[in-house]
Amino acid sequence: MYLIKDAFQPIGFHLVDYLLKQGEEVVGVDKLDQPIAEHASLMVGRNANFIHYETIAAFLKDQQSNLANYSFIFIGQETDLIEYFEDKGDCYAINSSELLSKKNTVTSIELPLLEGRWLTQQNNRVVWQQQFFPVEASKIEAPVVDLDVFISIVYHILKASLTPGVIKIKHKKAEIKQVELPFIIHSISC
């Protein structure tokens, strides 16, 4: 089972949705105090493999004895929570800095610049530090990773049970036998 903190924020929601489509069991922790969060919860809340808690405290009250069954995924700078959960199961931090790169019990997935959708069909936005910004694609100089591709890579990282370390996912074009590989895992240090 996976516990995802900030389950109804852009990256968290896409990860929850992807895991549920793979048949995984997911606990989503997030408040429903924003209209977009409430809308997102309605999209996944009907799935039998999904359980929602508004706070970590509420989750712990119900699940304290079963924590070993979970992999914990934190998006952003949740250092206090990560320190609490890191010895209770596999712990992953998807973040935009190297804040956690020195921890040897957490797999830190550094957040690249992402492009993609958030409950709309608009594709002219990028994500940085959990916020979306409108952009004109032709003016972006930094390599940008598609949100759906990023989520797929994260899922494979979760399934691989890697030794804790730092994973950087960056855009890279390479030609192998005339097949373009749009994304690779840039570096893994354990």
Side-chain angles (χ1 to χ4, degrees):
M1 290 185 71
Y2 296 94
L3 176 133
I4 300 177
K5 175 72 172 67
D6 293 336
F8 303 136
Q9 303 308 313
I11 295 166
F13 171 78
H14 286 294
L15 185 56
V16 167
D17 188 49
Y18 191 91
L19 289 170
L20 291 172
K21 286 178 181 173
Q22 303 306 312
E24 303 288 353
E25 295 180 51
V26 179
V27 171
V29 178
D30 206 342
K31 293 192 181 269
L32 297 176
D33 57 357
Q34 298 174 20
I36 198 151
E38 189 174 338
H39 181 68
S41 71
L42 291 173
M43 293 181 72
V44 295
R46 295 183 181 109
N47 191 310
N49 287 344
F50 181 76
I51 300 171
H52 171 250
Y53 289 94
E54 285 216 8
T55 65
I56 289 287
F59 165 76
L60 288 173
K61 184 178 177 185
D62 286 351
Q63 300 294 325
Q64 187 68 41
S65 63
N66 297 327
L67 294 182
N69 297 330
Y70 289 90
S71 291
F72 305 99
I73 303 167
F74 300 95
I75 302 164
Q77 309 299 326
E78 301 279 354
T79 54
D80 292 341
L81 286 174
I82 292 168
E83 288 175 1
Y84 178 80
F85 285 100
E86 67 184 329
D87 63 345
K88 295 174 178 40
D90 292 338
C91 199
Y92 300 87
I94 300 173
N95 57 51
S96 56
S97 73
E98 294 190 28
L99 178 67
L100 301 166
S101 64
K102 294 183 174 71
K103 291 200 152 298
N104 59 5
T105 57
V106 176
T107 300
S108 180
I109 302 169
E110 289 190 15
L111 190 61
L113 187 62
L114 297 172
E115 67 178 345
R117 58 181 168 74
W118 171 234
L119 301 176
T120 71
Q121 295 303 313
Q122 296 177 1
N123 290 319
N124 59 342
R125 304 182 323 167
V126 295
V127 178
W128 184 247
Q129 296 184 358
Q130 287 286 83
Q131 296 180 20
F132 276 96
F133 300 95
V135 296
E136 188 175 326
S138 63
K139 297 194 180 201
I140 299 175
E141 292 182 20
V144 179
V145 177
D146 179 78
L147 179 59
D148 292 330
V149 172
F150 175 75
I151 295 299
S152 174
I153 292 170
V154 168
Y155 177 69
H156 290 291
I157 291 168
L158 296 173
K159 297 307 277 182
S161 299
L162 299 173
T163 307
V166 177
I167 299 173
K168 297 179 182 180
I169 301 170
K170 295 186 176 182
H171 183 279
K172 178 164 175 96
K173 290 185 179 178
E175 288 193 24
I176 299 175
K177 297 181 184 177
Q178 298 186 11
V179 175
E180 187 176 277
L181 302 174
F183 302 94
I184 64 166
I185 296 179
H186 178 67
S187 64
I188 301 176
S189 62
C190 299

